Amino acid sequence: MNTYTIASATILLAGIGLSPSAGLAETLTSEEIDYINKHLPGVLIGPVADDGSIVQIREWFPLEETTYHYDIPGSKGKTSTLVLEQIGRAPGTPVGSRSQGWAMKLPNKTTRYLSNDKETLQIPADIAGEYGLLIKLDPPEPLLRMKGDGSLTREIDVDIYDVTKPEDVTHSGKVSCTWTDMGTHKVTVPAGTFEAKLIRVSYKGNVGPASVQARKYMFLAEDVGPVAFTDVREISAFFFYHNDTDHAGVLRKVQKKNQAATVGN
């Protein structure tokens, strides 16, 4: 019996007789634990009891100009970065206006644009710089969601354009995207040990000639943000750009703009 199984049993026994809240996240299956351990070996320690809700998005995904430095598991010293930066106009606001917006630069040269509605931090579009493509998602893909019942499914229309011809759709299709809050778990990464929210996003659908059934996991630590993930590629990468590169990451260091490292070393 591994550490995670022992911790799970302890929490389940402690909870007998209690009525969990409607937002309490589902328990990880043994298959999911195996999947996470395969892509993020040694990261997952055990579950932590919580009420399953996210009260403030900024507590779990701070919107500050930040560079996250990650080690790539099993890559013999390879590293990657996620860069969160403020932009002059928030996606969806009038062109020419000056409003606070945010974008994230991914390790594969993709720029991911972020937007907010009342309860969700979401992804309306990606620009895949490696391939010169604009990927539009309507409605946007959920990245982080407040409260609710712990799960949200959206039927997303995906349109892909050549960045030099944004009037011409090169591929299109529909993806069923399910975002799920999987509860809080203790994890360990090079930057330290954290109690982190586990978010699972699964995809099923078709774009152009290709079909896909994929999923990814992300651990978010309070006041830090993403401390580990199994994959951060854009939706189009699951359909068209398959390679053997491991897209997982475990946090080594966080640097905020004009500051020394705040987490890790």
Side-chain angles (χ1 to χ4, degrees):
M1 182 177 291
N2 60 34
T3 302
Y4 190 95
T5 304
I6 294 172
S8 299
T10 302
I11 287 179
L12 289 173
L13 289 172
I16 291 176
L18 298 179
S19 298
S21 69
L24 189 61
E26 64 186 295
T27 303
L28 288 176
T29 65
S30 59
E31 189 275 335
E32 286 178 310
I33 294 170
D34 290 343
Y35 183 91
I36 292 170
N37 286 339
K38 176 182 176 180
H39 291 83
L40 299 170
V43 168
L44 193 58
I45 297 175
V48 177
D50 72 355
D51 65 0
S53 65
I54 295 171
V55 178
Q56 291 292 333
I57 286 175
R58 286 175 179 261
E59 291 179 357
W60 297 95
F61 205 109
L63 292 178
E64 304 174 36
E65 295 204 315
T66 306
T67 300
Y68 296 89
H69 299 265
Y70 297 93
D71 293 342
I72 301 175
S75 65
K76 297 182 180 180
K78 290 185 179 180
T79 62
S80 64
T81 60
L82 293 178
V83 181
L84 184 62
E85 59 184 14
Q86 188 174 348
I87 57 177
R89 182 180 68 86
T93 60
V95 174
S97 65
R98 298 292 296 179
S99 56
Q100 186 183 68
W102 294 92
M104 185 161 52
K105 293 182 178 178
L106 307 186
N108 61 351
K109 300 181 182 179
T110 291
T111 298
R112 172 160 293 167
Y113 291 91
L114 306 179
S115 65
N116 289 347
D117 62 16
K118 292 182 179 179
E119 292 190 344
T120 310
L121 182 63
Q122 51 198 0
I123 305 163
D126 290 322
I127 295 179
E130 182 75 10
Y131 309 105
L133 296 177
L134 165 64
I135 301 99
K136 181 182 177 183
L137 308 175
D138 185 19
E141 176 186 337
L143 178 61
L144 189 60
R145 183 171 180 250
M146 292 170 55
K147 302 179 182 178
D149 63 0
S151 185
L152 173 68
T153 297
R154 286 180 174 175
E155 301 298 323
I156 299 176
D157 291 321
V158 181
D159 290 322
I160 301 177
Y161 309 81
D162 185 305
V163 293
T164 66
K165 297 181 179 180
E167 68 279 8
D168 295 334
V169 177
T170 62
H171 296 90
S172 64
K174 186 179 290 289
V175 177
S176 178
C177 175
T178 300
W179 178 100
T180 306
D181 178 352
M182 305 294 289
T184 303
H185 303 261
K186 182 172 285 187
V187 298
T188 183
V189 295
T193 300
F194 302 90
E195 292 185 1
K197 280 284 184 185
L198 174 57
I199 303 302
R200 182 187 67 199
V201 183
S202 58
Y203 309 88
K204 185 176 182 180
N206 296 273
V207 174
S211 62
V212 72
Q213 197 165 355
R215 59 178 162 168
K216 56 189 180 184
Y217 295 84
M218 177 173 60
F219 289 95
L220 298 171
E222 193 169 8
D223 297 325
V224 178
V227 295
F229 51 83
T230 61
D231 205 318
V232 291
R233 289 176 293 174
E234 70 278 1
I235 282 179
S236 65
F238 292 120
F239 294 92
F240 301 112
Y241 309 114
H242 307 288
N243 57 53
D244 295 327
T245 302
D246 194 336
H247 298 275
V250 289
L251 184 68
R252 176 165 294 279
K253 181 173 63 175
V254 176
Q255 288 181 304
K256 296 188 182 296
K257 186 177 181 180
N258 300 323
Q259 295 181 15
T262 57
V263 175
N265 51 62

